[in-house]
Amino acid sequence: MATLATPPALTRADFEPVIGLEVHVQLLTATKIFCSCANQFGSAPNSNVCPVCLGMPGSLPVLNRKAVEFAALAAMALNCRVNETSIFARKNYFYPDLPKGYQISQYDKPLAEHGWIDVACSPNNATGGDANGTKRIGITRLHMEEDAGKSLHDGFADSASKTAIDLNRTGTPLVEIVSEPDLRSGDEAYEYLTRLREIILYTGVSDGNMEEGSLRCDANVSVRPRGQEKLGTKAEIKNVNSFRFVREAIAYEIERQIELILGGGTVVQETRLYNSAEGRTYSMRSKEQAHDYRYFPEPDLLPLVVDTKWQAEIRSRLPELPEARRARMVAEYGITEQDAGVLTASRTLADQFESAAKAAKNPKRVANLVQGELMGRLKAAGLEIEQSPVSMAGVAMSADLVEEGKISGKQLKELYDICFAGVAQSENGARGEDFAAVYEREKPQQLSDSVAIEKIVDEVITASPKQVEQYRAGKTTMMAYFVGQVMKATKGQANPAMVNEVVGRKLG
Ligand code: ADP
Ligand code: MG
Ligand code: ZN
């Protein structure tokens, strides 16, 4: 009897995860994509609607020029090529929040293609990171489409037995940004989303607010044996509502698929939902039941032409993007990459920092104070930097006071504590106080009386004969000891520049 050679069994480490993301971003235009209804979150249900966005027969869509410009600007910021001609298409499916029975989207001729985002990773990592610790994630396409309405399952009188529909959101302009299957872990997906959101926010075309649904993400996940070119069967995890949950959902899904295959099963193509409370994904529907959307060109809209001239106009409105800005700030202000990363987290913050740094005597000190004094206090108070009681102008002012020796580092810390004291005590979101106000009121007593300082320096020198001997024998680092003693004797209130000068003179 012939025995068949059994292939070596695969282990968990033999599998490579593959992830591609589809991100929907709502554009912040004043009006909707095909009608003049207000494009506004939070209005009374069904108040921003008209025959066009309600999908009444016979109504005609008219494309919003601003929506095209916003979409093209986002595409350019994501390094995509904008097609001169793109085509709107009907994507047909039934859903209660889709009164027309189809969604106007783009299909085989999208607005833009061939983009990329560079994400940070460990240098030369196994998944394609380069020597500088960056990995380029491809963007397949960016297309325009309209949003659907919203089904409401709770929050009104008979919501236990009924679902209500709010159609304010129908016709909100969206861009869908589809990545190549270049991501290899939940962490990489998280990094990609963070960079993507940051770039979108810099362009100003969206507020990127996940709670309000302005940014939504579907994650496609598969695994394959390492070395295999062909992609494995994917599961699509729908509508995860925070980047952290996307990371968790992907990590869970990778494990689930590997376990399934190792146990002799096969992954089926399906849509899954993530339950963040349980940290698991659940099957929602299989692709077999999924729709054939019967796409066809939208007969009520002409092909969209964004010619070279219009593209150039749009491109001229591109702001400096986060990555370029970080590099420039490192060069211009002598700050670290890490400082620059924190200080460019939003465009407003970066603007504020730059104006503070330009106004201050020493930009590096401004950056250090942001990192050293501000960030920790913000974190402890649970605040974003945009909500900081101490403004960037306040940080610049404090930096100059220290720079000029008008206050000590210890006094600065105390002043920052006072600025934040209101925040810690308030339960109703009181904002604390800015630095200038606190400084004017507290005006810390800086000991700048040279006679008094000389007296204290004399006392310290008399009390430290051994250290004086060491200093005079050439151990100049003892200087710090003497300055420290004087500062201690004055509870940190002596003018550090004067102390240095006097100690140096007396010992020298
Ligand atoms: P669909 O037609 O099912 O929407 P697409 O080809 O349009 O699939 O791809 C949608 C997203 O899924 C893209 O981000 C793509 O990179 C990703 N993707 C496609 N195939 C796979 C796969 N086998 N594993 C992981 N991601 C995938
Ligand atoms: Mg898709
Ligand atoms: Zn309308």
Side-chain angles (χ1 to χ4, degrees):
M1 192 171 76
T3 48
L4 291 170
T6 14
L10 289 174
T11 65
R12 313 186 64 270
D14 296 323
F15 288 94
E16 177 183 49
V18 174
I19 300 129
L21 299 181
E22 294 164 283
V23 176
H24 286 91
V25 179
Q26 284 184 358
L27 303 177
L28 268 185
T29 48
T31 55
K32 294 187 179 181
I33 185 169
F34 299 124
C35 62
S36 55
C37 291
N39 176 28
Q40 211 166 51
F41 181 83
S43 305
N46 301 306
S47 59
N48 300 326
V49 291
C50 74
V52 174
C53 55
L54 287 175
M56 300 290 182
S59 60
L60 283 176
V62 177
L63 181 59
N64 180 342
R65 185 181 174 92
K66 197 79 207 168
V68 175
E69 293 182 345
F70 275 14
L73 192 68
M76 289 169 185
L78 296 169
N79 307 296
C80 291
R81 255 181 271 150
V82 174
N83 291 321
E84 267 204 44
T85 305
S86 61
I87 309 279
F88 284 98
R90 287 192 185 177
K91 179 179 182 181
N92 301 281
Y93 61 98
F94 172 79
Y95 211 76
D97 61 19
L98 187 76
K100 286 202 296 276
Y102 61 85
Q103 178 188 20
I104 304 180
S105 181
Q106 295 185 313
Y107 186 52
D108 43 14
K109 264 289 193 180
L111 177 71
E113 295 169 275
H114 310 298
W116 44 265
I117 298 179
D118 282 337
V119 303
C121 62
S122 46
N124 298 313
N125 77 1
T127 77
D130 69 11
N132 301 319
T134 40
K135 178 175 168 181
R136 182 156 290 185
I137 307 301
I139 292 175
T140 315
R141 54 190 272 141
L142 178 150
H143 68 253
M144 299 182 71
E145 61 187 27
E146 60 179 341
D147 209 345
K150 222 174 160 171
S151 298
L152 305 172
H153 304 287
D154 43 38
F156 52 97
D158 43 3
S159 42
S161 59
K162 292 192 168 60
T163 290
I165 309 276
D166 178 4
L167 294 173
N168 281 345
R169 206 178 66 179
T170 55
T172 294
L174 298 180
V175 287
E176 177 173 345
I177 301 157
V178 181
S179 87
E180 289 288 305
D182 288 346
L183 298 157
R184 293 290 173 269
S185 65
D187 286 338
E188 283 188 5
Y190 183 92
E191 184 66 20
Y192 169 86
L193 289 170
T194 306
R195 297 281 83 85
L196 171 61
R197 179 167 181 274
E198 188 178 76
I199 292 167
I200 293 291
L201 288 181
Y202 265 62
T203 64
V205 304
S206 176
D207 60 17
N209 187 329
M210 286 195 96
E211 288 82 56
E212 296 181 0
S214 317
L215 195 152
R216 310 194 286 270
C217 174
D218 302 334
N220 299 272
V221 181
S222 67
V223 298
R224 64 182 168 191
R226 280 183 200 284
Q228 174 183 307
E229 183 100 15
K230 189 168 171 285
L231 294 174
T233 305
K234 72 178 157 97
E236 182 174 6
I237 312 167
K238 278 273 182 207
N239 281 328
V240 192
N241 62 8
S242 82
F243 291 176
R244 191 161 61 84
F245 291 159
V246 173
R247 174 161 62 190
E248 291 173 11
I250 290 171
Y252 173 85
E253 185 60 21
I254 292 169
E255 291 305 306
R256 186 189 71 86
Q257 293 183 10
I258 294 175
E259 291 298 322
L260 186 63
I261 296 168
L262 287 178
T266 42
V267 176
V268 294
Q269 184 162 336
E270 62 181 352
T271 304
R272 298 179 72 86
L273 286 181
Y274 182 62
N275 180 323
S276 57
E278 296 175 28
R280 305 184 40 170
T281 61
Y282 284 97
S283 179
M284 184 167 95
R285 60 168 185 254
S286 75
K287 267 280 161 155
E288 280 71 47
Q289 296 162 256
H291 324 266
D292 169 4
Y293 294 119
R294 292 169 48 243
Y295 281 99
F296 62 87
E298 167 58 61
D300 291 337
L301 288 166
L302 290 167
L304 168 59
V305 177
V306 187
D307 63 14
T308 328
K309 182 161 164 276
W310 194 13
Q311 287 197 30
E313 247 173 73
I314 297 167
R315 193 175 290 282
S316 72
R317 283 174 237 157
L318 259 187
E320 184 180 30
L321 294 169
E323 208 181 291
R325 188 159 194 177
R326 280 192 276 277
R328 179 177 59 72
M329 280 170 49
V330 167
E332 204 167 320
Y333 306 109
I335 62 179
T336 63
E337 302 252 351
Q338 205 214 338
D339 286 345
V342 171
L343 293 166
T344 52
S346 83
R347 193 171 153 187
T348 325
L349 175 64
D351 288 345
Q352 287 175 357
F353 167 75
E354 287 210 63
S355 64
K358 287 204 167 82
K361 300 202 155 50
N362 181 348
K364 175 71 185 151
R365 189 185 289 278
V366 175
N368 286 347
L369 288 183
V370 170
Q371 288 277 327
E373 303 298 336
L374 205 55
M375 299 311 289
R377 286 182 176 80
L378 287 171
K379 199 162 174 214
L383 296 179
E384 295 302 317
I385 194 145
E386 287 83 359
Q387 305 164 300
S388 173
V390 179
S391 66
M392 281 295 155
V395 177
M397 177 181 177
S398 68
D400 281 355
L401 287 169
V402 176
E403 194 74 21
E404 292 162 355
K406 293 208 177 109
I407 58 171
S408 66
K410 181 161 174 284
Q411 287 170 332
L412 176 131
K413 280 180 198 296
E414 287 164 2
L415 292 171
Y416 272 62
D417 284 342
I418 297 172
C419 294
F420 274 81
V423 178
Q425 281 153 16
S426 90
E427 295 188 349
N428 51 8
R431 306 226 33 233
E433 277 181 286
D434 205 347
F435 186 84
V438 171
Y439 176 73
E440 286 309 320
R441 190 176 64 233
E442 305 286 326
K443 272 278 165 62
Q445 290 305 306
Q446 167 94 295
L447 186 55
S448 299
D449 173 346
S450 61
V451 178
I453 290 179
E454 294 218 8
K455 186 163 165 282
I456 297 164
V457 171
D458 284 339
E459 284 166 16
V460 168
I461 289 177
T462 315
S464 323
K466 242 199 232 128
Q467 286 85 349
V468 172
E469 208 175 295
Q470 289 174 352
Y471 180 86
R472 298 216 161 112
K475 198 174 172 196
T476 51
T477 48
M478 287 311 289
M479 183 76 177
Y481 165 81
F482 291 105
V483 174
Q485 290 300 107
V486 176
M487 295 309 282
K488 201 168 150 198
T490 60
K491 298 198 170 65
Q493 291 183 346
N495 179 324
M498 286 179 72
V499 174
N500 266 293
E501 187 273 321
V502 174
V503 172
R505 179 154 46 78
K506 299 251 172 193
L507 289 175

